[in-house]
Amino acid sequence: RKRCIRISTGSKQLDVALNGGFQTMSVNEVYGEFRCGKTQMAHTMAVICQLPREMGGAEGKVAWIDTEGTFRPERIAEIAERFGVDGQQAQDNIMVARAYNSEIQCEMLETLAQNFATNQYRLLIIDSLISLFKTDYVGRGELQERQSTISLFMRRAAQMADEFNLVVFITNQVMSDPGASALFAGVDGRKPAGGHAVAHASTTRLLLRKGRGEERVAKIIDSPDCPEREATYIITTGGIND
Ligand code: ATP
Ligand code: MG
């Protein structure tokens, strides 16, 4: 029988707010404005996932769907150093797939299923979920098809989280179109992109924002087992930290 595992975020405060980190067998979404640390959190978790359980890890490999070209192997090496693990080995345990359009992004899930069947993987990162759909489906006329394709993608990701005991970690943008955002009830005036297609499939949602100075704030918006609370974190050379 599969047992649910939690992977640390790198910030103790945020881990406490999440009852120990992000859970396998669930889809976890972080959304927020640019430079709030979504991609940095993904890098941090990609290293921590590989660590022993007592260090907040899951002793597992990582798959990374990169839609914006923002994966940085050098960052992995820097974060690995913080945790005292070999940088090259940490990079080797991360399978990065660069997606250039939304169709390829969807197909990648099926390709990765073969890797996940080895039972060596515990984390699937999708950074970011929506960007390719935004450029591939333009205008109102294509909105419905876009939403149903995103919905299918999310459902498949959720199914794979369950089947392969994975943390699915998805980054999302905040909505830029005020007309469209009026369609969806949001929090703090910041609404995640993708509307219901994303909301329905996300188990836990975190809103990230900039705080005072270097500080960043994560707010749990939607969680099956955590109250709506906030935690602060910072971005360092060694990744997300307190
Ligand atoms: P976007 O919506 O544009 O994708 P994001 O939420 O993914 O944004 P990140 O790229 O995760 O944002 O975060 C960028 C921030 O991380 C910047 O403020 C940058 O200063 C900080 N950062 C990046 N590398 C380092 C590092 N080595 N040390 C400290 N801070 C860093
Ligand atoms: Mg990013």
Side-chain angles (χ1 to χ4, degrees), residues 77-92:
E78 286 173 338
I79 296 165
E81 199 177 316
R82 165 182 168 196
F83 293 100
V85 296
D86 182 66
Q88 189 57 51
Q89 198 178 320
Q91 288 172 37
D92 292 345

Side-chain angles (χ1 to χ4, degrees), residues 44-183:
T44 309
M45 290 194 58
V47 174
I48 295 178
C49 173
Q50 306 177 31
L51 300 176
R53 299 289 299 277
E54 60 269 22
M55 290 178 79
E59 290 160 26
K61 293 188 182 182
V62 180
W64 184 309
I65 297 179
D66 181 9
T67 72
E68 295 178 333
T70 49
F71 174 78
R72 292 286 177 277
E74 350 29 294
R75 290 293 293 129
I76 296 299
E78 286 173 338
I79 296 165
E81 199 177 316
R82 165 182 168 196
F83 293 100
V85 296
D86 182 66
Q88 189 57 51
Q89 198 178 320
Q91 288 172 37
D92 292 345
N93 284 327
I94 305 170
M95 199 175 84
V96 184
R98 175 82 163 95
Y100 289 95
N101 65 57
S102 59
E103 206 182 322
I104 290 174
Q105 181 181 331
C106 293
E107 283 166 5
M108 266 174 192
L109 282 187
E110 299 316 315
T111 314
L112 287 170
Q114 293 165 29
N115 297 79
F116 297 150
T118 64
N119 199 31
Q120 296 179 334
Y121 287 77
R122 288 293 164 266
L123 175 62
L124 167 61
I125 289 163
I126 300 148
D127 183 26
S128 72
L129 173 69
I130 301 277
S131 54
L132 295 173
F133 287 91
K134 267 191 176 161
T135 45
D136 288 353
Y137 297 84
V138 192
R140 291 251 144 211
E142 291 184 300
L143 189 60
Q144 202 175 6
E145 196 191 333
R146 185 186 94 166
Q147 289 305 101
S148 63
T149 311
I150 292 172
S151 195
L152 271 177
F153 180 86
M154 288 295 283
R155 248 189 292 166
R156 184 71 180 119
Q159 193 186 10
M160 290 170 76
D162 272 342
E163 188 179 351
F164 302 116
N165 201 14
L166 302 171
V167 169
V168 173
F169 180 91
I170 280 168
T171 71
N172 196 4
Q173 294 148 332
V174 281
M175 224 173 249
S176 46
D177 172 10
S181 68
L183 290 168

